[in-house]
Structures are given as structure tokens and as C-alpha cells.
Amino acid sequence: MKNYLVNTPEGTHDSLWDESAARRGLESSLAGIFERGGYREVRTPVLEYYELYQIARNPIPPDNMVKLTGRDGKLLVLRPDNSTPIARIAATRITDFPCRLYYAQSVYRLAGNRRGDSCELGQCGVELFGIAGYEGDAEILTLAVRALLGAGVCDFHIELGGLAAAELNKIIALLDTGTAAYMRLEPSLTQEIDYYTGMVFRAYADGAGKAVLAGGRYDKLVGDYGRDVPAVGFAVYVDEVLTIRKPSGGDGGGLRIAVTKGRLLDDTLDLLAKAGYAKPASVSDKGDRRLIHKIPDSNISLVLAKAEDVITYCERGACQLGVVGRDTLLERGGEVLELRDLSYGACKFAVAALNSTELKDVRVVASKYPNVARNFFMEQGADVDVIKIDGSVELAPILGVADAIVDIVQTGSTLKANGLQVIADVCAVSARLIANPAALRLCKDAISELLSKLAV
Ligand code: PRP
């Protein structure tokens, strides 16, 4: 049983001295850079009215906000972003523009809150109010580069998008050459939060699994709080910067592909062999218990892991690529990009039951994939109870624990042998090549080379 006296809530943790000192050091060097640029610090409450985030350009999905009720019965949230309350300050407390503000405070979000995902995210950022047009954009981009360099991040680039390439080039023309060198045009880039009205940008750094900084122009937001003032800003994602690390582990870096152990491994090795990558002898050696295998004469290592862990290593940036079944992707989700359908490992998700059961009669479903099962029946408009079973789920209807199962079906022989039959197909499943979104940008050349050789 969880001991609430000694555990912190999921998504939070105590920081000891080393981590605290690193965080304070990073925040104070960023604060110094911002202050030298003429920015002044503001702080906003950790508690805000839910309504603040319910404006027309609502940036945060309500389900991702930590909500609680105030003494007056009003719905409150733990601050889910910084630009919104600071836009309120600009609208209600500032009269002289342009105005330059900075902050160092956390935001709280429940998004993607799997075990290990933090719901308290440190941000240190700036907002420039009252300068419309590209001069303001250029000031902010220059400061973003200075902030990352000052934070000790060396290998990074900034993707710039949200406008046509010709417009973005006009902004780049206002930057000095040193700063411009960090920019990469990505006109189609968009941000998660939808209040941006002009250029948007995101920085990716070597060794970080996610973006380390993001920002853009949001000229309409301040107007929502009563004063029409153009605005542009960015936030440094403090936690991402603090966790930047170089891969270590004896494989000398290079490209790491996490491959699901078991059924998909042989097909993955065959695919790589067809692409001209020799099979590491150590993988076939049953006595070899190593989990990382270097492909001879290449800069690629294979990391053997369980399916769920393939996604974990990929989304945390420990492996740039992964091979995993769509079944696990659908069940677990993950902040990874699906690059290719590798075709092998083909099977399907299906609902199966004992012979006389019809789909409309199903009330209790057993599955190793409770999210897939729940989503399927929700789409059917059916209200079912889902029981999580860890393996040999065919037993559940036989033993009277469930009316039906949702499971992967390949040849159908397991179902047949146990007197079950498919009563509805859910979706097709096969192996997928996935990538860490940041790695896809940082290791573009190495990944493109691999992709061009893979014959799928
Ligand atoms: C999967 C699945 C079915 C079986 C389907 O189980 O859960 O039991 O394969 O394959 P078939 O249609 O070719 O018979 P797996 O072998 O992965 O074992 P598990 O049930 O212990 O996870």
C-alpha cells in the first residue's frame, strides 16, 4: 500500500542539494542574461482562476490542468502556463510600453502523466510587450540563443516556423550572423499551445529528449485581458536543460535503435541485413546476455528491450529510434513519432468471445490492452467494464470472468484451440519504426541515411 506519509504525489519529487543547486545556478544565470537585456522579474500566483484559461484562445486542454476549489466555491487551477498570467499583468498593471518581463516559476500539467513523468515543470522565460513586427521577434530570438549558450547548452539549433519562409527570412536578416547560424527554417512548425499569431520557434539540443526552449509571437492574448498589446516571448524548459546528458554505455554513441525482444527481433535483423547492415554475432549467441549490440562497421547499436520500454527509451531520448508493435503504441501511447510501417509482425486487434456471444451482449471485457479495449467500446457507444489480464487472456471468458476479450490475433489458432471466435475486428497491427522527435532533428543525416537504405 502506498504510504502517503513518505511518498510525494505522482509526478512530483523532493530535490536534494545537488539538484537544487543546479536548478538555482541555471535560473540565476538565465535571470542575469535576461536582466542584462533589460527584462525585469515578475511572479504570478500558483493558484489561478480556471476562467483565466477559458478565454477564446484557450491554450491548455482542461483535462491537463490540476483543478481545485477555492473557499468561494470557484474552480481554481495550479498555474498551467506562464504567458497567460503575465499577459494579464501587461493588460492590467503596465502602462509604459515596450515592456520587458521575465519569470522563473513552475507550471503544473497532468499531460502524459505516466509514472515518472513530472507534472511540475520548471520554466524560465521572457515576454516582450509592445513591439510589433520583426524587430521584436529578432530581439527575442537573439535572447533565446544567448539564454541557451549562457545555460551551457552548446549543441543546439532553433527551428523557426509559423510563417512563410520568405517572412521568416526577413526575421533572420535582422539577426547577427552568429545568432542566425542557430536557426533552421521549418515553416510548418506549430506549437502545442494555440495562442500564437506569428513566428513560433523551438530549440532542440544534443542529449535532450525533448525541446529545451519554445516560444513565439502572440499578439492577441493580452487583448483578451483588456489591452491590445503585441507580445512575443519564450520559455527555457529548465528540467530538460538540467537533464541534458551525453549517451554513455560503451557503444561509443552513434545511433541507437531500441528493438523489441521476441517476435519482432528476427524480422528487424532481416530488415537491417537487407539494408546492408551486418547482423551482430552477439545477438544470435544465446549465451551472450548483453543487451546492447553494435552493428559491425556502422555507427548503429541495437538496444534489446521489452516493447513498452522501447517507447520509454525513445521518448526519453536514450535511443533515437525504436522498433515496436502498433499494439503497444496504441495501448501505452508515447511522445514519439511513427516513421514507417515495417509491415512485419502483422496481426490484428479483435474482440473474441465464446461461440454464442454477440458484440451487443458484451458487458465485461478482459484484455492485456485495457486502453485499446476501452477506446474500442467507447467508440461503439457501449458501456463495458474492462478487466486487465496480464497474459493468456483467452482464459477469462472460459472461466466466466469476462464476456469477451480484446487481444491480438495472428493465426487465430489460440482462439480456436480455446473455443473462442472473433466477433469484431478492432484494427490492424504491425511493427512500426518510431523516433524521438528531438533526435529526428538532431540526427537528421544519420537517420535519413538509414531510412533511405531500409527497403520499406
Ligand atoms: C498472443 C495473443 C494470443 C496469441 C495470438 O499471445 O495474446 O494469445 O498471441 O496468436 P495466434 O492468433 O497466432 O494464436 P502471446 O503468444 O504473445 O503470449 P501471451 O498471451 O502470454 O502474451
Side-chain angles (χ1 to χ4, degrees):
M1 202 175 81
K2 194 158 184 169
N3 186 340
Y4 295 98
L5 291 181
V6 297
N7 290 305
T8 63
E10 189 143 354
T12 69
H13 70 280
D14 295 320
S15 303
L16 296 191
W17 38 90
D18 284 346
E19 186 190 338
S20 303
R23 187 173 294 268
R24 187 178 288 273
L26 174 56
E27 287 178 355
S28 50
S29 52
L30 289 172
I33 291 162
F34 298 156
E35 283 173 9
R36 284 192 291 282
Y39 288 73
R40 290 171 297 170
E41 187 174 12
V42 287
R43 285 173 169 270
T44 67
V46 69
L47 284 179
E48 291 283 1
Y49 285 118
Y50 178 69
E51 262 108 340
L52 181 75
Y53 292 96
Q54 293 305 298
I55 50 165
R57 276 163 285 275
N58 177 20
I60 314 285
D63 284 353
N64 293 357
M65 294 196 244
V66 183
K67 304 185 198 75
L68 59 165
T69 316
R71 244 192 320 210
D72 55 2
K74 294 285 287 177
L75 194 54
L76 305 175
V77 292
L78 297 190
R79 176 201 315 120
D81 99 323
N82 279 308
S83 294
T84 305
I86 294 173
R88 173 190 58 212
I89 291 182
T92 58
R93 304 285 299 276
I94 309 288
T95 47
D96 283 344
F97 292 96
C99 165
R100 293 172 171 82
L101 304 178
Y102 82 89
Y103 56 88
Q105 54 187 27
S106 295
V107 297
Y108 301 85
R109 291 186 198 161
L110 295 170
N113 206 10
R114 279 181 291 277
R115 202 166 279 281
D117 277 356
S118 193
C119 69
E120 177 173 1
L121 307 162
Q123 293 192 349
C124 210
V126 295
E127 314 291 353
L128 169 58
F129 297 104
I131 299 190
Y134 298 155
E135 291 74 23
D137 296 349
E139 174 176 331
I140 283 294
L141 287 172
T142 303
L143 199 53
V145 169
R146 272 194 206 138
L148 289 176
L149 291 173
V153 183
C154 314
D155 297 330
F156 69 89
H157 72 263
I158 295 182
E159 293 192 352
L160 194 56
L163 296 172
E167 300 303 306
L168 295 172
N169 277 322
K170 287 183 195 162
I171 301 174
I172 291 178
L174 297 173
L175 304 174
D176 64 50
T177 45
T179 307
Y182 289 98
M183 304 296 149
R184 278 201 204 157
L185 287 199
E186 290 284 342
S188 60
L189 180 76
T190 54
Q191 300 287 45
E192 247 174 80
I193 296 178
D194 68 358
Y195 47 50
Y196 292 101
T197 55
M199 67 134 189
V200 290
F201 57 97
R202 219 180 287 156
Y204 291 94
D206 203 6
K210 295 177 182 167
V212 290
L213 173 153
R217 175 164 286 284
Y218 54 99
D219 283 345
K220 303 285 181 217
L221 187 66
V222 188
D224 289 331
Y225 304 107
R227 190 194 299 264
D228 235 345
V229 182
V232 57
F234 68 79
V236 174
Y237 298 150
V238 171
D239 303 272
E240 297 306 329
V241 172
L242 288 175
T243 54
I244 288 179
R245 58 183 157 234
K246 295 272 175 262
S248 59
D251 59 356
L255 217 51
R256 287 177 170 178
I257 311 177
V259 182
T260 305
K261 289 194 282 191
R263 298 184 194 202
L264 297 183
L265 179 58
D266 285 341
D267 286 331
T268 305
L269 292 171
D270 288 348
L271 176 74
L272 288 167
K274 276 189 210 133
Y277 296 101
K279 193 168 171 177
S282 51
V283 182
S284 325
D285 180 355
K286 293 270 183 285
D288 195 322
R289 304 287 294 161
R290 269 176 298 177
L291 298 168
I292 301 182
H293 303 267
K294 186 135 192 335
I295 295 183
D297 306 320
S298 80
N299 205 16
I300 299 177
S301 299
L302 303 179
V303 176
L304 309 190
K306 277 191 72 172
E308 289 81 359
D309 303 337
V310 165
I311 304 177
T312 304
Y313 292 132
C314 242
E315 70 183 353
R316 290 182 173 249
C319 294
Q320 293 89 350
L321 297 173
V323 175
V324 66
R326 186 177 180 228
D327 51 335
T328 311
L329 283 168
L330 289 173
E331 177 60 25
R332 184 200 175 280
E335 290 173 41
V336 292
L337 294 173
E338 227 179 278
L339 298 185
R340 295 263 174 101
D341 180 348
L342 299 174
S343 307
Y344 52 82
C347 51
K348 66 179 178 184
F349 265 128
V351 186
L354 293 169
N355 292 340
S356 56
T357 312
E358 289 183 41
L359 193 62
K360 65 176 175 44
D361 300 325
V362 174
R363 294 284 169 271
V364 182
V365 180
S367 186
K368 246 185 344 181
Y369 303 89
N371 295 326
V372 173
R374 209 169 285 120
N375 290 340
F376 173 76
F377 281 97
M378 262 167 67
E379 275 166 23
Q380 308 294 309
D383 183 21
V384 301
D385 287 339
V386 178
I387 302 172
K388 167 90 162 56
I389 297 284
D390 283 325
S392 302
V393 68
E394 295 83 0
L395 284 170
I398 299 170
L399 298 179
V401 169
D403 304 318
I405 62 172
V406 168
D407 200 18
I408 48 175
V409 178
Q410 195 162 29
T411 59
S413 53
T414 312
L415 290 182
K416 201 168 166 202
N418 290 287
L420 298 165
Q421 64 180 20
V422 171
I423 58 171
D425 285 344
V426 175
C427 65
V429 166
S430 55
R432 303 296 156 110
L433 180 67
I434 58 169
N436 172 282
L440 200 53
R441 294 159 158 97
L442 289 159
C443 312
K444 207 172 186 171
D445 295 344
I447 293 176
S448 307
E449 188 191 330
L450 175 74
L451 289 179
S452 68
K453 291 182 181 171
L454 293 182
V456 277

mmCIF file of all heavy atoms in Angstrom, residues 263 368 390-394 407-415, ligand 1:
data_model
loop_
_atom_site.group_PDB
_atom_site.id
_atom_site.type_symbol
_atom_site.label_atom_id
_atom_site.label_comp_id
_atom_site.label_asym_id
_atom_site.label_seq_id
_atom_site.Cartn_x
_atom_site.Cartn_y
_atom_site.Cartn_z
ATOM 1 N N ARG A 263 9.351 -11.754 -30.862
ATOM 2 C CA ARG A 263 8.936 -11.988 -32.250
ATOM 3 C C ARG A 263 9.478 -10.980 -33.258
ATOM 4 O O ARG A 263 9.737 -11.337 -34.396
ATOM 5 C CB ARG A 263 7.412 -11.958 -32.344
ATOM 6 C CG ARG A 263 6.733 -13.028 -31.526
ATOM 7 C CD ARG A 263 5.245 -12.975 -31.766
ATOM 8 N NE ARG A 263 4.531 -13.762 -30.753
ATOM 9 C CZ ARG A 263 3.328 -14.244 -30.914
ATOM 10 N NH1 ARG A 263 2.666 -14.017 -32.026
ATOM 11 N NH2 ARG A 263 2.750 -14.938 -29.957
ATOM 12 N N LYS A 368 -5.270 -7.657 -22.137
ATOM 13 C CA LYS A 368 -3.926 -7.203 -21.759
ATOM 14 C C LYS A 368 -3.768 -5.746 -22.183
ATOM 15 O O LYS A 368 -2.803 -5.093 -21.855
ATOM 16 C CB LYS A 368 -2.899 -8.044 -22.549
ATOM 17 C CG LYS A 368 -2.082 -8.914 -21.702
ATOM 18 C CD LYS A 368 -0.982 -9.684 -22.418
ATOM 19 C CE LYS A 368 -1.012 -9.820 -23.896
ATOM 20 N NZ LYS A 368 0.112 -10.622 -24.416
ATOM 21 N N ASP A 390 -2.960 -10.153 -17.500
ATOM 22 C CA ASP A 390 -1.586 -9.984 -17.971
ATOM 23 C C ASP A 390 -1.118 -10.975 -19.028
ATOM 24 O O ASP A 390 -0.070 -10.792 -19.642
ATOM 25 C CB ASP A 390 -0.621 -9.993 -16.781
ATOM 26 C CG ASP A 390 -0.670 -8.653 -16.055
ATOM 27 O OD1 ASP A 390 -0.835 -7.637 -16.744
ATOM 28 O OD2 ASP A 390 -0.583 -8.633 -14.825
ATOM 29 N N GLY A 391 -1.831 -12.042 -19.271
ATOM 30 C CA GLY A 391 -1.413 -12.997 -20.299
ATOM 31 C C GLY A 391 -2.435 -14.109 -20.396
ATOM 32 O O GLY A 391 -3.270 -14.276 -19.493
ATOM 33 N N SER A 392 -2.376 -14.859 -21.501
ATOM 34 C CA SER A 392 -3.333 -15.942 -21.733
ATOM 35 C C SER A 392 -4.748 -15.488 -21.400
ATOM 36 O O SER A 392 -5.491 -16.133 -20.656
ATOM 37 C CB SER A 392 -2.967 -17.162 -20.879
ATOM 38 O OG SER A 392 -1.661 -17.563 -21.199
ATOM 39 N N VAL A 393 -5.118 -14.378 -22.002
ATOM 40 C CA VAL A 393 -6.392 -13.726 -21.690
ATOM 41 C C VAL A 393 -7.584 -14.575 -22.145
ATOM 42 O O VAL A 393 -8.712 -14.391 -21.679
ATOM 43 C CB VAL A 393 -6.390 -12.300 -22.311
ATOM 44 C CG1 VAL A 393 -6.409 -12.352 -23.811
ATOM 45 C CG2 VAL A 393 -7.507 -11.455 -21.775
ATOM 46 N N GLU A 394 -7.310 -15.569 -23.036
ATOM 47 C CA GLU A 394 -8.378 -16.461 -23.511
ATOM 48 C C GLU A 394 -9.070 -17.167 -22.353
ATOM 49 O O GLU A 394 -10.226 -17.590 -22.468
ATOM 50 C CB GLU A 394 -7.792 -17.523 -24.460
ATOM 51 C CG GLU A 394 -7.208 -16.976 -25.754
ATOM 52 C CD GLU A 394 -5.778 -16.474 -25.625
ATOM 53 O OE1 GLU A 394 -5.198 -16.546 -24.520
ATOM 54 O OE2 GLU A 394 -5.242 -15.970 -26.630
ATOM 55 N N ASP A 407 -7.856 -8.799 -27.867
ATOM 56 C CA ASP A 407 -6.486 -9.309 -27.880
ATOM 57 C C ASP A 407 -5.944 -9.283 -29.307
ATOM 58 O O ASP A 407 -6.689 -9.056 -30.259
ATOM 59 C CB ASP A 407 -6.462 -10.746 -27.345
ATOM 60 C CG ASP A 407 -5.071 -11.153 -26.882
ATOM 61 O OD1 ASP A 407 -4.224 -10.250 -26.658
ATOM 62 O OD2 ASP A 407 -4.805 -12.369 -26.743
ATOM 63 N N ILE A 408 -4.636 -9.543 -29.418
ATOM 64 C CA ILE A 408 -4.096 -9.641 -30.764
ATOM 65 C C ILE A 408 -4.336 -11.052 -31.289
ATOM 66 O O ILE A 408 -4.215 -12.037 -30.559
ATOM 67 C CB ILE A 408 -2.601 -9.256 -30.848
ATOM 68 C CG1 ILE A 408 -1.777 -9.945 -29.788
ATOM 69 C CG2 ILE A 408 -2.416 -7.783 -30.763
ATOM 70 C CD1 ILE A 408 -0.295 -9.667 -29.927
ATOM 71 N N VAL A 409 -4.686 -11.109 -32.562
ATOM 72 C CA VAL A 409 -4.942 -12.385 -33.224
ATOM 73 C C VAL A 409 -4.022 -12.435 -34.432
ATOM 74 O O VAL A 409 -4.020 -11.507 -35.242
ATOM 75 C CB VAL A 409 -6.413 -12.472 -33.688
ATOM 76 C CG1 VAL A 409 -6.648 -13.791 -34.411
ATOM 77 C CG2 VAL A 409 -7.353 -12.336 -32.503
ATOM 78 N N GLN A 410 -3.226 -13.501 -34.493
ATOM 79 C CA GLN A 410 -2.334 -13.614 -35.653
ATOM 80 C C GLN A 410 -2.833 -14.731 -36.566
ATOM 81 O O GLN A 410 -3.448 -14.480 -37.587
ATOM 82 C CB GLN A 410 -0.908 -13.852 -35.194
ATOM 83 C CG GLN A 410 0.110 -13.615 -36.283
ATOM 84 C CD GLN A 410 1.512 -13.422 -35.733
ATOM 85 O OE1 GLN A 410 1.858 -13.954 -34.678
ATOM 86 N NE2 GLN A 410 2.322 -12.671 -36.432
ATOM 87 N N THR A 411 -2.632 -15.979 -36.156
ATOM 88 C CA THR A 411 -3.134 -17.103 -36.975
ATOM 89 C C THR A 411 -4.558 -17.481 -36.568
ATOM 90 O O THR A 411 -5.263 -18.156 -37.312
ATOM 91 C CB THR A 411 -2.240 -18.344 -36.770
ATOM 92 O OG1 THR A 411 -2.272 -18.678 -35.371
ATOM 93 C CG2 THR A 411 -0.813 -18.064 -37.174
ATOM 94 N N GLY A 412 -4.944 -17.101 -35.374
ATOM 95 C CA GLY A 412 -6.276 -17.464 -34.870
ATOM 96 C C GLY A 412 -6.288 -18.821 -34.187
ATOM 97 O O GLY A 412 -7.307 -19.257 -33.656
ATOM 98 N N SER A 413 -5.124 -19.495 -34.170
ATOM 99 C CA SER A 413 -5.127 -20.860 -33.626
ATOM 100 C C SER A 413 -5.328 -20.886 -32.107
ATOM 101 O O SER A 413 -5.953 -21.814 -31.599
ATOM 102 C CB SER A 413 -3.868 -21.608 -34.048
ATOM 103 O OG SER A 413 -2.754 -20.843 -33.707
ATOM 104 N N THR A 414 -4.842 -19.872 -31.404
ATOM 105 C CA THR A 414 -5.040 -19.868 -29.932
ATOM 106 C C THR A 414 -6.530 -19.729 -29.613
ATOM 107 O O THR A 414 -7.051 -20.413 -28.724
ATOM 108 C CB THR A 414 -4.239 -18.715 -29.279
ATOM 109 O OG1 THR A 414 -2.920 -18.730 -29.797
ATOM 110 C CG2 THR A 414 -4.183 -18.850 -27.767
ATOM 111 N N LEU A 415 -7.198 -18.847 -30.340
ATOM 112 C CA LEU A 415 -8.640 -18.684 -30.119
ATOM 113 C C LEU A 415 -9.348 -20.017 -30.371
ATOM 114 O O LEU A 415 -10.140 -20.485 -29.553
ATOM 115 C CB LEU A 415 -9.221 -17.615 -31.058
ATOM 116 C CG LEU A 415 -8.831 -16.157 -30.812
ATOM 117 C CD1 LEU A 415 -9.540 -15.245 -31.806
ATOM 118 C CD2 LEU A 415 -9.186 -15.736 -29.378
HETATM 119 C C1 PRP B 1 -0.581 -13.537 -28.251
HETATM 120 C C2 PRP B 1 -2.045 -13.244 -28.014
HETATM 121 C C3 PRP B 1 -2.712 -14.555 -28.275
HETATM 122 C C4 PRP B 1 -1.834 -15.179 -29.343
HETATM 123 C C5 PRP B 1 -2.481 -14.989 -30.695
HETATM 124 O O1 PRP B 1 -0.067 -14.105 -27.116
HETATM 125 O O2 PRP B 1 -2.254 -12.733 -26.702
HETATM 126 O O3 PRP B 1 -2.751 -15.351 -27.106
HETATM 127 O O4 PRP B 1 -0.589 -14.457 -29.329
HETATM 128 O O5 PRP B 1 -1.746 -15.629 -31.717
HETATM 129 P P1 PRP B 1 -2.466 -16.638 -32.735
HETATM 130 O O6 PRP B 1 -3.670 -15.938 -33.281
HETATM 131 O O7 PRP B 1 -1.420 -16.880 -33.789
HETATM 132 O O8 PRP B 1 -2.824 -17.879 -31.983
HETATM 133 P P2 PRP B 1 1.470 -14.322 -26.845
HETATM 134 O O9 PRP B 1 1.942 -15.543 -27.564
HETATM 135 O O10 PRP B 1 2.206 -13.088 -27.194
HETATM 136 O O11 PRP B 1 1.507 -14.669 -25.304
HETATM 137 P P3 PRP B 1 0.776 -14.000 -24.039
HETATM 138 O O12 PRP B 1 -0.701 -14.242 -24.181
HETATM 139 O O13 PRP B 1 1.340 -14.701 -22.869
HETATM 140 O O14 PRP B 1 1.134 -12.566 -24.086
#
